[in-house]
Amino acid sequence: AAPRTRTDPRGPLAPLRSGIPHPAPRAMDQDYDAIILGTGLKECLLAGLLSVEGMKILHMDRNSYYGGESASLNLRQLWEKFRPGEPEPTHYGRWQDWAFDMVPKFMMGNGLLVRTLVHTSVHNYLQFKAVDGSYVVKGGKTYKVPATDMDALKSSLMGMFEKRRARSFFMYVQDYDETKPDTTKGHNLNVMTSRELFAKFGLQDGTVEFIGHALALNVDDAYLDRPALKMVKAVKLYEESLARFNTGSPYIYPLYGLGELPQGFARLSAVYGGTYMLAKPDVEVTYDPETKRATGVTSEGESARAKFVVGDPSYFPGKTRRIGRVVRAICILSHPIPNCGDAHSVQIILPQAQTGRQSDMYVFGCSWAHNVCAKGKYLAFVSTTVETANPHLEIEPGLALLGHIDEKFINVTDVMTPIADGKEDGCFISAGYDATTHFESTVLDVLDMYTRITGKTLDLSEKDPAAAAAER
């Protein structure tokens, strides 16, 4: 991708703006196949996919910038959001040079989001950098996550005999092929639970913990009593992503922050004729009074009609329910996160058992090397599912890993989910973003919505994700 300038006053949300046309005259007084509300990643991803399907799309947002709940805010926008009335400090340099992800997540190198980027060629609009390391906390210490048979033999997480048992398990996962029944070694993974499979290899609880949480990326221990197939495939995805970039981590991250992703898919939609309208704070969904089915939207006294409406939960009052809350700490540091080899970008997982919680905690770190902050500065995010009435106290174990913190902002958000599937009322609503620091659950929601809308399953196996290989 060509180098981009950062001169637009909106800072990190600016680069792709030139690739998105201005709204057509009388854009509201038209009929569309779909109207999409909100420019979060999920909504922009769907806009791109549906536009490629040949649908006529109108995409609107109440905000004047792209990203919705998953936006990347510059320094000035961050201060306006969390410290209103207080000017952003000048000692952090140009406010345009910062990009704070409101929903910080890395991309699995061989995962669903990368496959979707390649399937739609949106990766051509973006630049990526491999993440330096993936870590797990055990007994108050931070350890590099072993993910292969060779890693297992070198890891300080395990004793000598346990390393051999773990190596056998990793070799089993590496050899497993869903199309070759003999690779199951006689284990019916659709019936055998993860707990039973781990027991077959004689793995200790500590080993099971980092495999289940740091490799398979389960958010709690409920997976242990479910069929092992999903866990094995998740570990295999981690291993394949790790092997793709050979950087010590399975993750990649876009330069200039995650705000680039929704803009990339918005640009795809625009290429296929999609119309965009930002800064529409009064936009509302309209319904047929008899059938109660969505018929379009109104804004500023004008109406647009559509066969169905897509959007994030905030545009559909009464049609969603809260399933939880997520607390995220946004931190500015002047140093790398300690005990991670001075890495510019890391993920650290704190399994639930290590903190005495019901769900895992995640630390996400990136730096000026990703063009998201001033040179010499680092960003760190700590996130988890809220379990008490004091969410700011719940993230203390993650914050304790960061060393000295220059600035800290706490953001607590509701995780909403639609009550219905949208087929009856024509309202296809995305779910909120969970606490995880990867995109697998995010894209699964999008693919499910795509199938409900089109009746088709999106085939992401056509192109090789190596096309989106990270730069070193």
Side-chain angles (χ1 to χ4, degrees), residues 364-443:
F364 171 112
C366 55
S367 79
W368 55 273
H370 305 90
N371 299 346
V372 293
C373 55
K375 189 167 184 179
K377 295 296 182 180
Y378 297 77
L379 303 184
F381 305 82
V382 181
S383 59
T384 193
T385 301
V386 174
E387 298 178 2
T388 73
N390 298 298
H392 63 287
L393 298 178
E394 295 185 50
I395 53 176
E396 287 297 332
L399 293 172
L401 300 175
L402 304 184
H404 177 74
I405 298 172
D406 297 341
E407 306 279 357
K408 180 177 66 177
F409 308 85
I410 304 294
N411 193 27
V412 180
T413 57
D414 291 337
V415 180
M416 308 297 290
T417 193
I419 295 171
D421 63 9
K423 295 178 181 178
E424 291 292 326
D425 61 5
C427 297
F428 295 92
I429 308 170
S430 63
Y433 296 89
D434 61 25
T436 61
T437 46
H438 59 84
F439 277 109
E440 295 308 288
S441 58
T442 298
V443 183

Side-chain angles (χ1 to χ4, degrees), residues 163-182:
K163 287 180 179 180
R164 294 176 181 173
R165 290 188 287 266
R167 180 173 183 267
S168 296
F169 174 80
F170 286 131
M171 291 178 67
Y172 173 82
V173 172
Q174 289 166 23
D175 292 341
Y176 173 74
D177 185 335
E178 200 169 7
T179 65
K180 298 177 181 178
D182 59 307

Side-chain angles (χ1 to χ4, degrees), residues 304-321:
R305 299 162 297 279
K307 297 173 184 175
F308 57 90
V309 180
V310 177
D312 72 52
S314 68
Y315 291 91
F316 299 90
K319 290 184 175 291
T320 62
R321 61 185 177 90

